[in-house]
Amino acid sequence: MQDRIERTVIRALLDLPDPALRLLGGGARTIDGQALDPQLQLVVRLRALLGRGALVGASPEASRARLRRDMRTLAPETLPAVRTADLTIDGGAGPLRARHYVPGQKKGAAPAPLLVYLHGGGFVLGDLETHDVPCRLLCREGLLHVVSVDYRLAPEHPFPAALDDTVAAVRWAKANAATLGADEGRILLGGDSAGANLALAATSAYPGLPVTAQLLVYPPTDAVSERPAHALFDRDLFLARADRELFTRRYLDGTGTGRGDPRVSPLFGELAHCPPSYVAIAHFDILRDEGEAIVEALANAGVPVEVQREPTLPHGFVNMTGFSRAAHGATVRLAKDFRAFADQLPARTEEVHA
């Protein structure tokens, strides 16, 4: 009942015109020359009033439950309509849950590419349900087959479990794409936040992985260096430095792996191995500068890169499409432009082992 009331109130308020949204949100919020989307500005204030602080709580289980609840509360009234099927795929140490999103296609059309998608959540949170909406939009608007992977989470399964699952999922997708109705020569890999980190770490550390293109949505790429955005946007904007710090500790504790390891901080990896990359960067994000750094580093390594910069949006915008027109528009644009980017590239027919 509380969730339904909260959802109804939020939706009613978000339908107000922008000047009213800014007034209720505490006035225009401008940081580093850009103004936050007024709908999300009001959501930020409402979260503060409701006591919604750091993403990571006292226990991983409690944090995961709260994220699932938040995503249910803030999901669109009507889910983007696509056909789905739950699957079991090969992981790095056994079977993993996955979900296949099937694009609508005209009869006789060539098979669509298959995107292996890795959800965000700091390697600790997230699952098939929390990222169902962005996967639906990627499928529907990009006309992509999407296989969302429920990879293993820390701290129960610390590094490199999630990375091993990523590599195994790509190989499974390559072997099973035709069965799913997808183009086995166009396997794509991507994700948001921690999922983008896993995609980038996999393609840089495993140079022969059969990935035609990768999608990196607000990727964390450097767990070592201090950057201006870390301080600028450490202000209740959906991801705080404290969250990022705890996520990293839970991912690495007890593993003996340092934060500068390129499989953790892929900015320091062999980026020339990476496939062409589409990178989405949110201005209101502590990870903004890490996204800009990886764009520059990929380009310097000779990797074709296309960038989508969202000047009014925060970290997590692909999960905010149900209550922000700007976030919805940005995610639709992401899906369409990534598909167009991938369509320009030659197929990868087989894995090359280094």
Side-chain angles (χ1 to χ4, degrees):
M1 178 63 73
Q2 180 182 346
D3 289 352
R4 287 198 294 272
I5 293 171
E6 183 178 320
R7 182 187 180 99
T8 300
V9 170
I10 289 173
R11 292 203 177 280
L13 290 173
L14 292 177
D15 283 338
L16 294 170
D18 284 358
L21 289 171
R22 292 212 183 277
L23 181 63
L24 291 172
R29 187 165 187 179
T30 301
I31 303 176
D32 206 19
Q34 299 291 347
L36 181 63
D37 170 63
Q39 289 183 305
L40 293 176
Q41 182 180 331
L42 179 56
V43 171
V44 166
R45 189 167 193 194
L46 291 172
R47 282 173 58 87
L49 292 172
L50 293 168
R52 303 289 173 81
L55 286 172
V56 188
S59 72
E61 295 82 2
S63 301
R64 291 165 189 161
R66 188 174 71 178
L67 180 63
R68 285 191 291 268
R69 177 190 167 194
D70 284 351
M71 293 302 98
R72 284 195 302 269
T73 299
L74 298 170
E77 291 287 354
T78 303
L79 292 176
V82 295
R83 185 159 55 91
T84 67
D86 286 352
L87 306 172
T88 299
I89 71 170
D90 297 334
L96 297 175
R97 294 175 60 240
R99 182 168 297 156
H100 179 208
Y101 297 79
V102 185
Q105 290 186 275
K106 293 180 180 178
K107 188 175 181 179
L114 191 159
L115 170 63
V116 176
Y117 192 83
L118 308 161
H119 64 77
F123 314 104
V124 174
L125 313 179
D127 55 32
L128 300 182
E129 303 308 327
T130 60
H131 285 67
D132 179 63
V133 172
C135 287
R136 286 173 177 272
L137 285 171
L138 285 165
C139 173
R140 188 184 72 181
E141 302 297 336
L143 295 177
L144 294 166
H145 288 270
V146 178
V147 172
S148 179
V149 180
D150 198 18
Y151 59 85
R152 289 171 292 166
L153 299 177
E156 299 91 337
H157 302 283
F159 174 88
L163 182 57
D164 290 345
D165 288 345
T166 298
V167 173
V170 170
R171 290 172 174 159
W172 182 93
K174 177 68 176 175
N176 292 274
T179 301
L180 297 178
D183 183 350
E184 62 184 0
R186 291 191 292 168
I187 304 300
L188 315 176
L189 177 62
D192 64 286
S193 197
N197 172 283
L198 292 170
L200 185 58
T203 58
S204 58
Y206 293 83
L209 211 58
V211 175
T212 300
Q214 62 185 354
L215 173 65
L216 309 174
V217 183
Y218 31 81
T221 64
D222 176 4
V224 178
S225 311
E226 186 67 22
R227 299 178 184 274
H230 295 164
L232 277 172
F233 304 108
D234 188 27
R235 309 179 186 183
D236 60 30
L237 286 168
F238 304 101
L239 179 67
R241 283 190 290 182
D243 293 322
R244 205 283 181 81
E245 173 62 22
L246 189 50
F247 284 145
T248 303
R249 282 198 281 112
R250 285 182 170 167
Y251 188 42
L252 298 180
D253 274 359
T255 67
T257 303
R259 296 178 182 221
D261 188 302
R263 296 168 298 168
V264 176
S265 294
L267 183 63
F268 308 131
E270 296 293 336
L271 298 178
H273 296 158
C274 292
S277 303
Y278 188 101
V279 185
I281 299 172
H283 180 82
F284 287 82
D285 185 1
I286 65 169
L287 302 181
R288 181 196 65 182
D289 297 347
E290 294 177 50
E292 296 290 357
I294 200 64
V295 166
E296 181 179 3
L298 285 165
N300 288 341
V303 177
V305 185
E306 187 166 321
V307 188
Q308 177 177 327
R309 294 180 176 89
E310 293 299 335
T312 70
L313 295 179
H315 188 86
F317 70 77
V318 299
N319 288 99
M320 301 174 185
T321 58
F323 55 99
S324 164
R325 290 181 292 273
H328 182 271
T331 306
V332 169
R333 187 161 55 252
L334 177 81
K336 291 179 180 295
D337 289 356
F338 177 59
R339 172 63 193 269
F341 177 73
D343 280 349
Q344 302 170 20
L345 304 170
R348 291 282 297 268
T349 56
E350 60 184 13
E351 181 169 359
V352 178
H353 293 280

